[in-house]
Amino acid sequence: MSEFLTKSRARNVFYGGSIFFVVVFVALTAQSHRHIVDKATAGMPLTDEVVLGKHVWERNSCINCHTLHGEGAYFAPEVGNVMTRWGVLDDPEMAYEMLDGWMQAQPSGIEGRRQMPHFEITEEEMRGLAEFLRWADQTDTQNWPPNDAG
């Protein structure tokens, strides 16, 4: 047995195996990247308005209460499909008006009900947030959330 697996052969197995798995890793990385770009991304382009909305989402820590595609806190409703639930997914202006109206009505002051704080958000930021939520709603989430209510 000692003559079969010499030091030289063991080194060749190690280097050959290492090169093989590095090549497999690079190929799988390229395939994953291609899949994400071609199939698993949003059905809407990533515009400056969407980016602004994401910044508003992060700055106001919306994820501390809401979930977005199942990620975040469970205190407030899922917002990954809120534009579909409101029926404004294909109408950017109506999406803005619905979101702005909802945000202006908060907090509602109803006793015993969870209250959303009032945020000072400009019209431009609100439009960006509406676009971000429309963008998130069009992301292929492979049927998540499992029901319309989120």
Side-chain angles (χ1 to χ4, degrees), residues 43-60:
M44 185 175 148
L46 192 60
T47 63
D48 290 337
E49 216 169 19
V50 173
V51 172
L52 172 64
K54 173 67 169 154
H55 290 303
V56 171
W57 171 267
E58 291 172 346
R59 188 179 65 244
N60 290 293

Side-chain angles (χ1 to χ4, degrees), residues 87-99:
V88 295
L89 182 62
D90 297 326
D91 187 352
E93 185 61 30
M94 194 62 180
Y96 159 73
E97 289 177 14
M98 288 285 290
L99 182 62

Side-chain angles (χ1 to χ4, degrees), residues 8-132:
S8 172
R9 287 182 181 166
R11 185 176 33 251
N12 290 342
V13 167
F14 171 77
Y15 288 133
S18 297
I19 290 170
F20 172 77
F21 284 108
V22 165
V23 168
V24 168
F25 176 76
V26 168
L28 288 174
T29 301
Q31 188 274 337
S32 294
H33 177 72
R34 205 171 15 262
H35 173 76
I36 288 169
V37 169
D38 295 340
K39 296 184 177 134
T41 55
M44 185 175 148
L46 192 60
T47 63
D48 290 337
E49 216 169 19
V50 173
V51 172
L52 172 64
K54 173 67 169 154
H55 290 303
V56 171
W57 171 267
E58 291 172 346
R59 188 179 65 244
N60 290 293
S61 301
C62 300
I63 205 155
N64 286 349
C65 296
H66 292 278
T67 56
L68 182 65
H69 303 309
E71 294 292 324
Y74 294 100
F75 183 74
E78 163 75 39
V79 292
N81 63 355
V82 71
M83 294 300 173
T84 297
R85 291 194 320 255
W86 286 350
V88 295
L89 182 62
D90 297 326
D91 187 352
E93 185 61 30
M94 194 62 180
Y96 159 73
E97 289 177 14
M98 288 285 290
L99 182 62
D100 188 50
W102 176 259
M103 295 287 283
Q104 294 301 324
Q106 302 304 317
S108 65
I110 299 172
E111 188 65 36
R113 199 169 161 189
R114 295 177 184 169
Q115 300 292 309
M116 181 169 164
H118 178 75
F119 295 101
E120 294 297 327
I121 297 175
T122 66
E123 180 181 341
E124 180 186 15
E125 291 173 334
M126 189 66 72
R127 287 187 184 279
L129 186 58
E131 284 301 292
F132 169 67

